[in-house]
Amino acid sequence: MNTPAKLTGFVAAVAAVFGIALLVGATVGPVEEQTEDPTASAHDAGHGEDTATGSAAETPAAETPAVEDIPGGLMTYRNGYALALAETNLESGEGRNLTFAINGPDGMPVTDFDVTHDKELHLIAVRRDFTGFQHVHPVLDEITGIWSVDVDLTPGTWRVFTDFTPTGGEPLTLGTDLAVAGEFVPAAPEADNRTATVDGYEVALEGDLSSGNDAMLTLTVSKGGQPITDLQPYLGAYGHLVALRGGDLAYLHVHPDGTPGDGTTRPGPEVVFHTSVPSAGTYHLYLDFQHDGVVRTAAFNLTAGGTGEGQPGSGAHGDHSHSGR
């Protein structure tokens, strides 16, 4: 569907009418690959960066990991694709409209995406103190390439992740920061927890994380002391798990074990995931599961040990594989 000569003028006209010229203006033309510093602090990551043009502080080449080895979500630009928000500042409140485009190597909004786990694009929004987690699915205008979705925002700095596969390309997770106006009171850091309660459901997590090693995580869902054995499929699995690294919010790929209807995967109470982490440190995990027609989210914190060999960006944790959606 990308016909740059015809689409450029049309998109520009539409953008002008709706006030979203930021999405295509400065990015028409080939997009240069940019690498965000994966060791940047939570305060610095994404700050002072123009999401339409995307400049990042230079680091010595010897200290910069290969692009394919950098975890997902740390980069606004990757493999020629760019995440461009229409606005990088929004007011706080419920149902705030978030509008953006995924610009391709030609600088134009991409309109062709593969369906992965029931959706063409998955958007994760979380405040940088790991509160307010949301997993939503924007709607694409196939003519303009503009995505839009409503999100609930509290004051502070948010990280927005887009997880998608452009048709003919590789799976990608791009991330950028969003500033939300208002008085900001950061949440206090939470200790490790292996149990979570949400709407009367109890979820227990078993398994350990260790840098550079594969891990199996088992999450068991119950209610009132009784195991839930009739979980409903959600995005092609009986659960969806997002893992974010403390500090820089690196987005790690987590793979579900089995598929609903495959004859062997049971609909609970256990949901099994596989992952590995590139470094020691704290990881924040969010499990989405569906029961009685409602999707709920249980949150956990785990500390990963290691020998110190794993460093931010080390290991095969780029965008070559898909998260457990």
Side-chain angles (χ1 to χ4, degrees):
M1 296 177 62
N2 287 335
T3 56
K6 296 181 180 179
L7 189 58
T8 300
F10 180 78
V11 173
V14 173
V17 171
F18 290 97
I20 53 177
L22 171 65
L23 299 179
V24 295
T27 57
V28 173
V31 176
E32 295 182 3
E33 185 151 302
Q34 303 286 334
T35 303
E36 295 179 17
D37 181 359
T39 61
S41 67
H43 174 76
D44 292 333
H47 286 265
E49 177 180 292
D50 184 338
T51 57
T53 57
S55 59
E58 294 184 0
T59 55
E63 299 177 5
T64 304
V67 170
E68 63 270 17
D69 292 337
I70 297 176
L74 292 180
M75 302 170 66
T76 305
Y77 300 82
R78 192 162 192 170
N79 296 351
Y81 293 87
L83 166 59
L85 299 181
E87 298 180 76
T88 56
N89 297 271
L90 289 177
E91 295 294 324
S92 63
E94 297 182 355
R96 297 301 184 186
N97 187 249
L98 181 66
T99 306
F100 63 95
I102 303 298
N103 292 333
D106 60 359
M108 297 301 299
V110 178
T111 57
D112 292 326
F113 297 84
D114 291 345
V115 173
T116 307
H117 291 274
D118 298 340
K119 300 293 180 180
E120 289 185 316
L121 184 144
H122 298 254
L123 185 140
I124 303 297
V126 63
R127 207 169 70 172
R128 276 196 169 271
D129 60 358
F130 296 98
T131 62
F133 175 89
Q134 294 163 75
H135 175 184
V136 293
H137 301 103
V139 175
L140 173 65
D141 183 323
E142 296 184 355
I143 302 299
T144 65
I146 306 303
W147 295 87
S148 62
V149 67
D150 289 342
V151 290
D152 298 336
L153 300 172
T154 54
T157 301
W158 287 69
R159 190 69 174 174
V160 175
F161 302 93
T162 53
D163 203 342
F164 61 92
T165 302
T167 299
E170 297 295 326
L172 290 171
T173 302
L174 301 179
T176 193
D177 274 4
L178 174 69
V180 180
E183 183 178 352
F184 170 57
V185 180
E190 296 186 2
D192 283 13
N193 68 297
R194 289 180 173 271
T195 58
T197 301
V198 54
D199 294 342
Y201 291 82
E202 301 90 26
V203 185
L205 186 155
E206 294 183 4
D208 295 302
L209 300 175
S210 179
S211 65
N213 295 319
D214 292 333
M216 183 175 75
L217 303 177
T218 301
L219 294 108
T220 304
V221 184
S222 61
K223 187 176 185 180
Q226 299 299 313
I228 299 298
T229 58
D230 57 346
L231 290 173
Q232 297 165 320
Y234 175 59
L235 303 177
Y238 287 123
H240 176 281
L241 188 65
V242 168
L244 303 175
R245 183 168 60 187
D248 60 5
L249 279 76
Y251 184 106
L252 305 181
H253 291 285
V254 186
H255 311 276
D257 191 9
T259 302
D262 63 7
T264 59
T265 303
R266 297 182 301 173
E270 296 180 345
V271 187
V272 178
F273 298 89
H274 301 272
T275 189
S276 58
V277 297
S279 66
T282 300
Y283 289 83
H284 302 258
L285 290 79
Y286 304 87
L287 172 71
D288 291 333
F289 65 95
Q290 182 168 256
H291 189 247
D292 285 343
V294 178
V295 176
R296 300 171 174 86
T297 303
F300 306 88
N301 294 336
L302 285 183
T303 296
T307 61
E309 295 178 358
Q311 299 296 327
S314 66
H317 300 280
D319 289 298
H320 61 281
S321 56
H322 202 275
S323 63
R325 287 194 295 250

